[in-house]
Amino acid sequence: MRKYVVITLVVICALLPAAAWSEAPPAFRTMWGSEGQGQGQFSYPHGLAIDGSGRVYVVDTDNHRIQKFTGSGVYVTQWGSEGSEPGQFQYPTGVAVDVSGNVYVADAENYRIQKFTSNGVYITQWGGYGTGPGQFYWPYGVAVDVSGNVYVADTDNHRIQKFTGSGVYVTQWGSEGSEPGKFTYPYGVAVDVGGNVYVSDAENYRVQVFTSSGEYVTQWGGNGAGQGQFNLPRGVAVDANGDVYVADFGNNRIQKFASSGDYITQWGSYGTGEGQFNYPCDVAVDASGHVDVADTGNCRIQVFGYDTAVQNTTWGRVKSIFR
């Protein structure tokens, strides 16, 4: 009798649509931030990254600074001010942290990448306005692989550039267009442990995947609000299992996929409540699987997870629109 039950279950499972296998979204855990210029306040935070110790680095874009927090939102330190000198910023957007704890910031309107220690001590910079190798036109996203190579989404040049951790140019790929391997305003970039590079190709409404040298692998997406579709995708992140998270900016949600692009789950809607978003620009995942979201228009960070390790807490006020 048991074998007939097993056979019946196998047949039923085989007939179920793929969407039926989608997992439940992670639960809201905590959030922090409010609109302002004080410690722990934000003015349109666009980027965030999490280091190996769980510390969270937030790009406080319109305050021209980086703020650092514990994983539960306790303020640690900050650095930066408006300007073009080393350690200053002009509308920074993306941030990444390497295995040694060094912090890389996409300083968008200064057309450069700046590198700091984990406490904000300036180390070096590279870039400049232009279209040549090592130059940028609005660099938005930045990511670092396990070998310390730095990948930059050179957004208005419609390409990805790769550098060493000290800023030495390695290679680039992409040009404006909609064919595989081309981009129309790439915003986010992330790298998995195998060296695969994931790029949110915003105005082509898709995610593209490449090898570390820029060879095209696959893509998924499409313009829309359905499962696996996007409306101007921004930030992208990869967890320890290789699952991919995308900040679906115009749809006010986060979508989660397998590395192959198979849809897993989603959460979020437009609003100011817990688990709602006002044009989220970035997403990051820590070693425990907690998902942090830069809820840009609401001037806050929200944290989600599948366990109960973080106590639910809420504070801050929100803003409905942003620059």
Side-chain angles (χ1 to χ4, degrees):
M1 183 65 175
R2 180 179 294 176
K3 68 179 181 180
Y4 293 109
V5 173
V6 172
I7 291 171
T8 301
L9 288 173
V10 170
V11 171
I12 291 172
C13 291
L15 293 174
L16 286 173
W21 293 98
S22 301
E23 69 181 28
F28 171 84
R29 297 302 178 197
T30 189
M31 66 183 180
W32 70 87
S34 61
E35 182 197 351
Q37 299 176 343
Q39 294 180 353
Q41 294 184 310
F42 304 112
S43 184
Y44 310 114
H46 275 67
L48 77 167
I50 306 173
D51 67 19
S53 300
R55 303 283 182 160
V56 182
Y57 300 80
V58 180
V59 183
D60 189 6
T61 301
D62 282 22
N63 282 326
H64 312 282
R65 65 184 177 184
I66 303 297
Q67 293 198 67
K68 180 180 178 180
F69 302 87
T70 68
S72 58
V74 177
Y75 173 86
V76 176
T77 190
Q78 65 178 285
W79 67 90
S81 60
E82 186 172 8
S84 59
E85 298 300 317
Q88 293 186 312
F89 303 110
Q90 193 72 27
Y91 298 105
T93 48
V95 63
V97 186
D98 67 21
V99 294
S100 299
N102 298 305
V103 181
Y104 302 80
V105 181
D107 187 8
E109 287 197 7
N110 282 323
Y111 309 103
R112 65 186 177 185
I113 302 297
Q114 294 198 68
K115 180 179 180 180
F116 302 87
T117 69
S118 60
N119 291 320
V121 178
Y122 173 83
I123 298 175
T124 191
Q125 65 178 286
W126 66 89
Y129 177 78
T131 60
Q135 296 180 314
F136 303 113
Y137 185 15
W138 196 266
Y140 190 92
V142 60
V144 187
D145 67 20
V146 293
S147 299
N149 297 301
V150 180
Y151 301 79
V152 180
D154 188 8
T155 302
D156 282 20
N157 279 327
H158 311 284
R159 65 184 178 184
I160 301 298
Q161 293 199 67
K162 179 180 178 179
F163 303 87
T164 68
S166 58
V168 177
Y169 172 84
V170 176
T171 191
Q172 65 178 284
W173 66 90
S175 59
E176 186 172 8
S178 58
E179 295 83 1
K182 293 187 176 184
F183 305 109
T184 304
Y185 300 106
Y187 275 89
V189 59
V191 189
D192 67 19
V193 293
N196 298 300
V197 182
Y198 299 79
V199 181
S200 60
D201 186 9
E203 293 195 16
N204 283 322
Y205 308 98
R206 64 186 178 186
V207 171
Q208 294 197 68
V209 187
F210 302 87
T211 67
S212 60
S213 58
E215 296 177 11
Y216 173 84
V217 176
T218 190
Q219 65 177 285
W220 67 85
N223 187 8
Q227 293 180 353
Q229 296 181 313
F230 301 112
N231 185 0
L232 303 174
R234 289 284 186 103
V236 60
V238 186
D239 68 17
N241 297 319
D243 293 329
V244 182
Y245 302 77
V246 182
D248 190 3
F249 175 83
N251 284 323
N252 292 292
R253 65 184 179 183
I254 303 299
Q255 293 199 70
K256 180 180 178 181
F257 303 87
S259 59
S260 60
D262 292 334
Y263 172 86
I264 296 177
T265 193
Q266 65 178 285
W267 67 96
S269 60
Y270 178 77
T272 61
E274 295 176 355
Q276 293 185 309
F277 304 113
N278 186 0
Y279 299 105
C281 278
D282 205 5
V283 59
V285 188
D286 70 14
S288 299
H290 295 111
V291 183
D292 290 21
V293 179
D295 187 8
T296 305
N298 283 328
C299 298
R300 65 187 180 185
I301 304 301
Q302 294 198 62
V303 182
F304 303 85
Y306 291 97
D307 59 36
T308 57
V310 181
Q311 181 180 3
N312 286 359
T313 307
T314 302
W315 67 94
R317 61 188 177 87
V318 296
K319 188 171 183 176
S320 61
I321 60 172
F322 70 95
R323 176 178 170 273

